[in-house]
Amino acid sequence: MSDAKYYAKAKSAELQAELEQAWKKPGKKPAAKVDVVLKKILANTAMNNSDMILMMPAVIRIMSSTGNDHVDILKLCCNYLTSYSDLDSRNVINDALPILTKWLSSSSPQLRILAIRTLSQVNRRPFIDAALHATIAKLNDSDPQVRKVSCYAVARLYQHAADQTDVLIHKLNDMLLEESDTVVLASCLAALSSITDVSPKFAFALTKQHCQVLISRLEQANEWGKSYIINALMGYVPQSGDEAIDLIEAVMPWLSHENTAVVLNAIKIIVYLNNYASEQSVLLALPTLPKRIGSSLVALLTKPSELEFLVLRNAILLLLGRRYLINVDVSMFFCNYDDPIYVKDTKLEIIYLLADSTNVARVLRELEEYATEVDVQMARKAIRAFGNLAVKVPEAATDCVNVVVELLSHGVPYIVQEAAVVIKNIVRKYPHQFNSALVELIKHYDVIDEPDAKASLLWMLGQFGESINGSNRILASMVTDFDNDAFEVQNATITAAVKLYLKQPESGEATMLQVLKAATEQVNNPDIRDRGFMYWNLITAPQPPGAEWQAITKKVVLNPQPGISGENDTIDPAILEELELNIGTLLSIYLKPVRAVFRLSKQKRLMPSPALQPRPINKRSSSNRNSQQSAPEIPQPRPSKFGVHSNSGSASAASSPIRSSYADSIGSSFDGGDSSPTKRPGMMKRISRRIPSVVGGSKNDARKL
């Protein structure tokens, strides 16, 4: 019978009849028929069929009448019992508890395992009391499988009665030195780790003696036991750099293991121990370590796509925090044609992080192939990568721009959209050096309709409008649908219109008035209206005697833009440290602090020690922080993104991690005026009369406009 047939919805009366029929025909293998009925009951339980609760008396009767030779049936009964124990507590406590208590003294290890597992899973006071007494005894059971299940029972009991498990936890702690079976030892470590991850009272800490015992048992453990044991070594705090290096050397052989969990845990403990030894001492004592780590990561890329993705995300974490610990050729991360898009996306990010002046030529050739792929999503990501590389590696900027311009010349809409964002980043990094790219982009402005691309083009019109032929005409054509534009496009439009007005007052005044009128009288978004009123106040503010026309406004609006950088060192060191302590977990995929993913989990921190090394502060990070203090409107870059980053405005760009992660607002950002202004009739008319004379014009001209 296939598993799918078990999942047909059934009524309790029908299943009860099947059970009675099975027991009435001895010699017809009733156990097999009972097994089928129980599987149907559990399948219906999984489908939330509430009628199955009526089967509790029948299931308990099967438990009491089935012998040791049908353990599979008893397992199914116990699974049903734990599923409905909260809903039918009377039958469970009165009838099932004596059966489970009887199994605890059975000569069969399998029955003892079923008893201790079921007692610890049922969150009822009588069951918890029975499990607490039974677990103390079963932790010393002669059978290793019983001891293994008892270790996990301690972790479950901690969830139900944390204040009554201190004795059990101390017993697990003693077993770390006394336990002879490696499987039980690994289970003990797993239980302690589960408890300490959520307990405010206990912390997982090992002595040097514990470490020596655990390392000596690594060879005997199976692959999951190795994973638990290596992970547990993070509980030891080295007191000197030599101790840390010795532990790294002891863990290094497991970098070549076939199991992904073993390798990632080995990398995690190596990264952890590097906090207690200087970079120079580690590389001097273990010169092959970076190559070993790089080779182990490359070997894991042959795993299934899901595991490959996990490995790639952890490789990003290493490249961001401990670049000196990984030595690998960038070609190892080139995309294969059959890679899923999420793997290709992550590989592109790693290619960007590994790119430098020595390998950028190979990287550009590879990216050019991606940019011409049939897969539009991949082609867009590759085009975005060209812009990021142009900012990161100045030596390759010309080659990157040439490729982007060549692709742009075809006029393909999605290429034009991505190229707009890319060229914006490039001209910010290298002002007036690549005007040819800007000229080529302007030829295709009419196909730009995506918010990010449109905002980028508007920023360039405002910033370089005086050198772009027909900039006011292009801007006027882009503001026709101002009311329906996205928020970031409206912000960019307002700033671009004001900038062009200040640079070209005669030709830019009409568009500026049109945009500010729409922003202050037609748009309902209070932020856009605040921005519009703020610019009105700037433009109409009285000028100091003898000052240049609109001197105050120019000083505010046309101030120099902060530079952008291709370095990825703006992640908060505290967050980066926490992520390194969670390599191989979900946090390494999300790249978020533990409290943002698991609300009840404790945050891991490095414990103090005489050997603890201060985390180096990158000079660029320091300068970025200083620039942020001088410009408080600039938001902190988010740590979950990578690529080019800058110290300006709000983020733009596409969904790819290769996108620019720096704040990417178009123009300047301001906070001015009332947060919720109300429309005032005639406001536009009164303000327009206060606009100072433009060069070559008069106030009457302004009133007419």
Side-chain angles (χ1 to χ4, degrees):
M1 188 174 185
S2 64
D3 290 345
K5 294 182 179 179
Y6 296 130
Y7 286 86
K9 192 169 184 179
K11 295 182 178 180
S12 60
E14 297 173 354
L15 297 176
Q16 182 71 38
E18 290 186 32
L19 281 177
E20 292 177 357
Q21 186 178 10
W23 290 114
K24 285 180 181 179
K25 295 182 179 180
K28 298 290 185 178
K29 297 183 178 179
K33 294 183 179 180
V34 170
D35 183 80
V36 170
V37 175
L38 287 173
K39 288 180 179 178
K40 289 181 180 180
I41 293 174
L42 289 176
N44 277 266
T45 301
M47 295 188 296
N48 294 323
N49 186 349
S50 58
D51 196 35
M52 292 300 104
I53 192 174
L54 301 177
M55 299 298 297
M56 180 67 75
V59 171
I60 294 177
R61 186 166 60 250
I62 294 174
M63 290 175 61
S64 62
S65 59
T66 303
N68 300 349
D69 50 344
H70 296 298
V71 177
D72 291 339
I73 292 178
L74 295 178
K75 286 182 180 178
L76 296 174
C77 293
C78 290
N79 287 337
Y80 173 86
L81 190 68
T82 56
S83 299
Y84 284 111
S85 59
D86 291 338
L87 301 178
D88 192 358
S89 58
R90 183 180 58 82
N91 285 330
V92 172
I93 294 174
N94 296 338
D95 301 330
L97 183 57
I99 298 173
L100 295 173
T101 307
K102 180 182 177 182
W103 288 356
L104 288 172
S105 57
S106 172
S107 59
S108 171
Q110 293 177 317
L111 285 184
R112 299 201 298 274
I113 289 173
L114 279 177
I116 197 68
R117 179 182 293 154
T118 307
L119 287 172
S120 62
Q121 287 177 337
V122 177
N123 189 13
R124 290 288 175 181
R125 186 76 262 172
F127 279 77
I128 293 173
D129 292 339
L132 288 170
H133 290 92
T135 305
I136 296 176
K138 297 309 173 186
L139 285 173
N140 296 317
D141 197 276
S142 58
D143 188 274
Q145 290 299 319
V146 177
R147 298 201 300 274
K148 171 188 170 182
V149 174
S150 299
C151 290
Y152 290 121
V154 175
R156 284 191 291 269
L157 287 171
Y158 183 82
Q159 298 175 358
H160 304 325
D163 55 337
Q164 296 179 272
T165 54
D166 290 4
V167 176
L168 295 174
I169 293 173
H170 289 304
K171 175 60 179 176
L172 291 181
N173 195 36
D174 295 337
M175 290 174 65
L176 295 179
L177 296 176
E178 301 170 356
E179 180 56 51
S180 58
D181 189 275
T182 309
V183 175
V184 180
L185 178 63
S187 303
C188 180
L189 289 171
L192 286 173
S193 177
S194 173
I195 293 170
T196 55
D197 281 347
V198 298
S199 171
K201 180 179 179 181
F202 295 101
F204 193 81
L206 298 179
T207 64
K208 191 171 184 179
Q209 183 183 9
H210 283 117
C211 282
Q212 292 171 347
V213 171
L214 294 179
I215 291 174
S216 66
R217 306 292 290 278
L218 271 173
E219 192 69 42
Q220 309 164 18
N222 58 26
E223 54 189 17
W224 295 113
K226 286 182 173 66
S227 177
Y228 285 128
I229 292 173
I230 294 174
N231 183 65
L233 293 177
M234 291 185 64
Y236 178 66
V237 181
Q239 299 302 305
S240 68
D242 291 339
E243 276 189 9
I245 292 173
D246 290 342
L247 280 175
I248 293 174
E249 190 173 8
V251 174
M252 278 180 62
W254 307 111
L255 290 173
S256 304
H257 201 275
E258 185 180 358
N259 185 276
T260 307
V262 175
V263 176
L264 290 180
N265 274 292
I267 292 175
K268 177 167 66 174
I269 188 65
I270 289 173
V271 172
Y272 163 73
L273 292 170
N274 268 267
N275 290 291
Y276 296 94
S278 64
E279 175 183 342
Q280 294 78 10
S281 61
V282 171
L283 296 180
L284 183 63
L286 305 169
T288 61
L289 179 60
K291 191 68 176 177
R292 293 282 297 274
I293 293 179
S295 300
S296 64
L297 291 174
V298 170
L300 294 178
L301 297 182
T302 59
K303 299 287 184 180
S305 299
E306 294 80 7
L307 290 178
E308 184 182 6
F309 177 67
L310 173 64
V311 173
L312 292 171
R313 296 298 288 177
N314 283 277
I316 290 174
L317 192 52
L318 280 176
L319 291 171
L320 289 173
R322 302 283 176 177
R323 180 66 180 86
Y324 67 92
L325 283 180
I326 179 171
N327 182 8
V328 64
D329 187 67
V330 67
S331 62
M332 296 293 101
F333 296 97
F334 286 169
C335 300
N336 300 320
Y337 74 95
D338 57 347
D339 283 338
I341 186 62
Y342 58 87
V343 171
K344 289 182 178 179
D345 198 6
T346 312
K347 284 185 175 181
L348 271 178
E349 191 170 344
I350 293 178
I351 291 172
Y352 167 78
L353 292 173
L354 288 173
D356 54 32
S357 57
T358 62
N359 58 23
V360 71
R362 281 187 298 160
V363 170
L364 291 180
R365 286 195 298 270
E366 185 72 12
L367 290 178
E368 193 168 359
E369 292 184 14
Y370 303 159
T372 55
E373 277 193 5
V374 178
D375 185 353
V376 173
Q377 191 175 0
M378 187 64 184
R380 294 175 73 115
K381 295 176 187 296
I383 295 170
R384 187 64 61 92
F386 277 115
N388 293 341
L389 285 176
V391 174
K392 180 183 178 181
V393 187
E395 298 86 347
T398 302
D399 294 334
C400 291
V401 171
N402 291 338
V403 175
V404 173
V405 170
E406 182 181 355
L407 295 170
L408 188 60
S409 62
H410 300 296
V412 180
Y414 72 85
I415 292 180
V416 176
Q417 313 287 347
E418 288 297 327
V421 181
V422 164
I423 293 174
K424 187 262 315 236
N425 294 335
I426 293 174
V427 296
R428 282 197 62 188
K429 177 69 174 180
Y430 312 103
H432 307 294
Q433 292 187 30
F434 298 106
N435 290 336
S436 59
L438 190 54
V439 171
E440 185 66 31
L441 177 64
I442 294 298
K443 294 179 182 178
H444 308 283
Y445 78 90
D446 54 331
V447 302
I448 295 178
D449 54 8
E450 294 181 2
D452 292 334
K454 202 170 180 179
S456 298
L457 179 59
L458 286 166
W459 180 85
M460 287 183 280
L461 288 174
Q463 193 71 15
F464 307 105
E466 70 278 9
S467 59
I468 297 175
N469 293 330
S471 57
N472 279 290
R473 173 180 54 82
I474 297 172
L475 179 61
S477 67
M478 296 181 69
V479 302
T480 55
D481 198 25
F482 179 82
D483 294 349
N484 299 322
D485 281 333
F487 172 76
E488 62 267 27
V489 176
Q490 291 177 334
N491 263 329
T493 303
I494 295 173
T495 305
V498 174
K499 284 186 175 181
L500 276 180
Y501 165 68
L502 295 176
K503 294 179 179 181
Q504 300 175 350
E506 292 183 351
S507 57
E509 186 173 9
T511 304
M512 185 268 297
L513 289 172
Q514 177 187 352
V515 171
L516 291 185
K517 180 176 180 180
T520 55
E521 294 188 359
Q522 300 173 16
V523 177
N524 293 325
N525 189 311
D527 294 327
I528 297 298
R529 298 183 65 196
D530 277 355
R531 195 179 185 90
F533 283 120
M534 184 210 64
Y535 278 124
W536 274 124
N537 292 333
L538 279 174
I539 292 171
T540 59
Q543 303 294 316
E548 180 189 3
W549 177 78
Q550 291 289 356
I552 297 176
T553 308
K554 287 182 178 180
K555 184 178 180 181
V556 174
V557 178
L558 301 181
N559 60 329
Q561 292 288 319
I564 60 176
S565 168
E567 298 297 327
N568 291 276
D569 49 16
T570 57
I571 292 183
D572 187 345
I575 295 178
L576 189 57
E577 176 184 298
E578 183 180 357
L579 292 175
E580 288 178 351
L581 297 178
N582 289 279
I583 287 177
T585 66
L586 277 177
L587 300 186
S588 63
I589 294 180
Y590 291 119
L591 293 177
K592 293 182 179 180
V594 65
R595 293 292 177 84
V597 182
F598 303 107
R599 181 172 53 88
L600 299 179
S601 293
K602 286 196 304 187
Q603 184 178 7
K604 293 184 179 179
R605 299 182 183 277
L606 293 174
M607 300 305 293
S609 166
L612 183 61
Q613 303 291 314
R615 196 171 194 97
I617 299 178
N618 192 290
K619 293 181 180 179
R620 282 193 177 90
S621 296
S622 177
S623 63
N624 288 343
R625 285 192 292 271
N626 292 337
S627 64
Q628 288 171 0
Q629 292 173 1
S630 62
E633 71 276 11
I634 300 171
Q636 182 78 12
R638 291 162 56 182
S640 58
K641 302 178 183 177
F642 308 99
V644 181
H645 57 76
S646 135
N647 297 322
S648 67
S650 59
S652 69
S655 59
S656 167
I658 270 294
R659 66 186 178 273
S660 303
S661 66
Y662 59 86
D664 205 14
S665 83
I666 310 303
S668 303
S669 175
F670 300 95
D671 294 321
D674 186 8
S675 60
S676 57
T678 56
K679 292 186 178 180
R680 286 167 280 182
M683 181 70 179
M684 180 69 189
K685 184 177 179 181
R686 291 197 300 273
I687 291 181
S688 64
R689 290 175 180 170
R690 294 164 52 199
I691 297 178
S693 300
V694 299
V695 177
S698 66
K699 291 186 178 180
N700 292 329
D701 295 331
R703 292 191 188 101
K704 292 177 183 177
L705 290 172

